């Protein structure tokens, strides 16, 4: 891969990775902000605003730990050389794709009863007079989103570095997405119907499926480059004349943007192409299929509310 790119082209590629970071930060940030706002709103409604500090303590601890995990993982990459670096990069991207896939289906399964479950957790902590349990409730809810975000961003940042686009573009996009999520979280707390949550989670979920597919195919390519895979390594087709993913021509800019967003390649190996197609088709079908209605778990003193 050449490192010689025009400034304008690099800007376009960086914008692509900034977009993927923004989608990740926004999606994960909204999930965390929604959880915290539900708990705070319930405490306020039940006259327990004095415990807000416990919620913020748990939330900030989870955010700090998530940042620490991300920094440690990223720092680990710097000391590696080929082929260990390629193996680590591929592993990071593969792990990121697995994490986002699990997260998508977890949220799809639990979104309907999330309010009732959180309310029940708050009630237990207050009833048992274990108010620091509120900190644990907030910590456990946010840390899941935070660790997922750190792992997924690690894969995206690694891909950005591989494309010489700079990891900073992905991280800036994530920060922007998280800032928007915080603003939306405040809107949730104030009771504003800022967005349709069902539509938001469904369509950002679809976007993340294509982003994860790109990470998966890129991971397979890294394993091929490292010599771990020797099957399906021949080029499936070459459409570089139509839409190259490298170069400084006008059409190449589009190819590089698609590569940054979805892992596009104008000369894919058979195995990377199969991995991308198989993942997109399988996950999209499972993700978009109608869900069977499930009765919410009965919780004493609370009424589960369907989110969104």
């Amino acid at each position: 891969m050449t490192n010689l790119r025009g400034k304008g082209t690099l800007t376009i590629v960086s914008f692509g990775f900034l977009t993927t970071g923004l989608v990740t930060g926004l999606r994960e940030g909204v999930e965390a902000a929604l959880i915290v706002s539900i708990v705070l709103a319930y405490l306020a409604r039940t006259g327990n605003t004095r415990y807000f500090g416990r919620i913020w303590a748990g939330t900030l601890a989870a955010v700090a730990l998530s940042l620490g995990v991300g920094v440690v993982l990223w720092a680990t990459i710097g000391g590696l050389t080929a082929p260990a670096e390629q193996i680590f990069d591929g592993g990071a991207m593969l792990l990121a794709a697995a994490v986002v896939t699990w997260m998508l289906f977890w949220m799809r399964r639990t979104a309907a009863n999330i309010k009732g479950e959180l309310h029940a957790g708050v009630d237990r902590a207050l009833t048992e007079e274990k108010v620091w349990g509120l900190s644990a409730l907030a910590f456990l809810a946010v840390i899941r989103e935070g660790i997922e975000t750190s792992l997924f961003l690690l894969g995206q940042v690694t891909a950005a570095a591989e494309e010489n686009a700079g990891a900073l573009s992905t991280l800036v996009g994530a920060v922007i997405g998280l800032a928007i999520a915080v603003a939306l979280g405040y809107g949730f707390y104030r009771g504003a119907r800022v967005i349709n949550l069902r539509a938001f989670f469904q369509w950002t979920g679809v976007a993340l499926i294509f982003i994860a597919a790109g990470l998966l195919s890129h991971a397979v390519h890294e394993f091929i480059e490292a010599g771990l895979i020797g099957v399906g390594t021949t080029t499936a087709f070459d459409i570089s004349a139509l839409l190259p993913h490298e170069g400084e021509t006008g059409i190449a800019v589009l190819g590089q943007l698609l590569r940054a967003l979805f892992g596009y390649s104008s000369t894919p190996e058979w195995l990377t192409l199969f991995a991308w197609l198989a993942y997109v088709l399988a996950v999209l079908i499972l993700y978009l299929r109608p869900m069977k209605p499930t009765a919410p778990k009965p919780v004493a003193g609370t009424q589960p509310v369907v989110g969104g």
Side-chain angles (χ1 to χ4, degrees):
M1 179 179 297
T2 179
N3 291 324
L4 302 177
R5 287 187 176 174
K7 185 176 181 180
T9 302
L10 182 57
T11 300
I12 293 296
V13 177
S14 298
F15 175 76
F17 283 107
L18 183 143
T19 302
T20 63
L22 189 150
V23 171
T24 300
L26 181 60
R27 166 71 187 231
E28 296 295 294
V30 165
E31 289 185 22
L34 177 61
I35 290 170
V36 173
S37 65
I38 288 173
V39 174
L40 291 176
Y42 188 63
L43 286 174
R45 193 167 73 239
T46 55
N48 290 292
T49 55
R50 63 188 180 279
Y51 297 129
F52 274 17
R54 305 290 199 277
I55 301 302
W56 290 123
T59 299
L60 292 176
V63 171
L65 180 58
S66 300
L67 287 173
V69 169
V71 170
V72 169
L73 289 174
W74 176 246
T76 305
I77 299 176
L80 299 177
T81 57
E85 182 179 5
Q86 293 168 317
I87 296 173
F88 184 91
D89 290 350
M93 296 178 208
L94 187 62
L95 178 61
V99 166
V100 75
T101 305
W102 177 87
M103 174 269 295
L104 288 172
F105 287 99
W106 177 87
M107 191 62 185
R108 182 179 186 268
R109 184 177 65 254
T110 62
N113 298 323
I114 191 169
K115 283 187 178 180
E117 293 174 1
L118 289 172
H119 290 176
V122 172
D123 286 340
R124 282 194 298 271
L126 294 176
T127 301
E128 299 171 6
E129 297 183 351
K130 296 179 180 179
V131 293
W132 282 107
L134 295 172
S135 296
L137 177 67
F139 177 84
L140 293 175
V142 175
I143 193 64
R144 180 182 60 246
E145 311 301 336
I147 296 298
E148 287 172 0
T149 303
S150 295
L151 292 173
F152 196 33
L153 285 177
L154 174 66
Q156 293 177 321
V157 165
T158 302
E162 287 290 315
E163 295 299 319
N164 304 308
L168 184 61
S169 55
T170 303
L171 296 177
V172 169
V175 170
I176 294 173
L178 289 171
I180 296 173
V182 170
L184 291 175
Y186 180 74
F188 297 147
Y189 172 73
R190 301 298 299 179
R193 306 293 288 184
V194 181
I195 57 175
N196 183 315
L197 285 178
R198 291 188 185 278
F200 172 83
F201 284 124
Q202 182 175 39
W203 290 111
T204 54
V206 170
L208 287 178
I209 287 172
F210 281 94
I211 293 172
L215 289 176
L216 174 62
S217 64
H218 205 145
V220 173
H221 174 75
E222 289 296 307
F223 292 146
I224 290 174
E225 289 288 309
L228 294 182
I229 299 177
V231 179
T233 61
T234 57
T235 301
F237 53 77
D238 186 347
I239 56 172
S240 299
L242 296 175
L243 185 60
H245 66 262
E246 293 182 318
E248 299 179 16
T249 62
I251 192 63
V253 172
L254 175 59
Q256 290 165 16
L257 180 60
L258 291 174
R259 184 169 181 80
L261 290 171
F262 309 123
Y264 166 78
S265 173
S266 58
T267 57
E269 299 95 347
W270 278 108
L271 190 58
T272 58
L273 177 64
F274 175 79
W276 192 96
L277 289 174
Y279 178 90
V280 168
L281 290 176
V283 178
L284 271 181
I285 290 172
L286 293 173
Y287 184 72
L288 295 177
R289 79 189 192 282
M291 287 187 64
K292 295 180 180 180
T294 57
K297 298 177 181 178
V299 179
T302 63
Q303 281 292 329
V305 181
V306 176

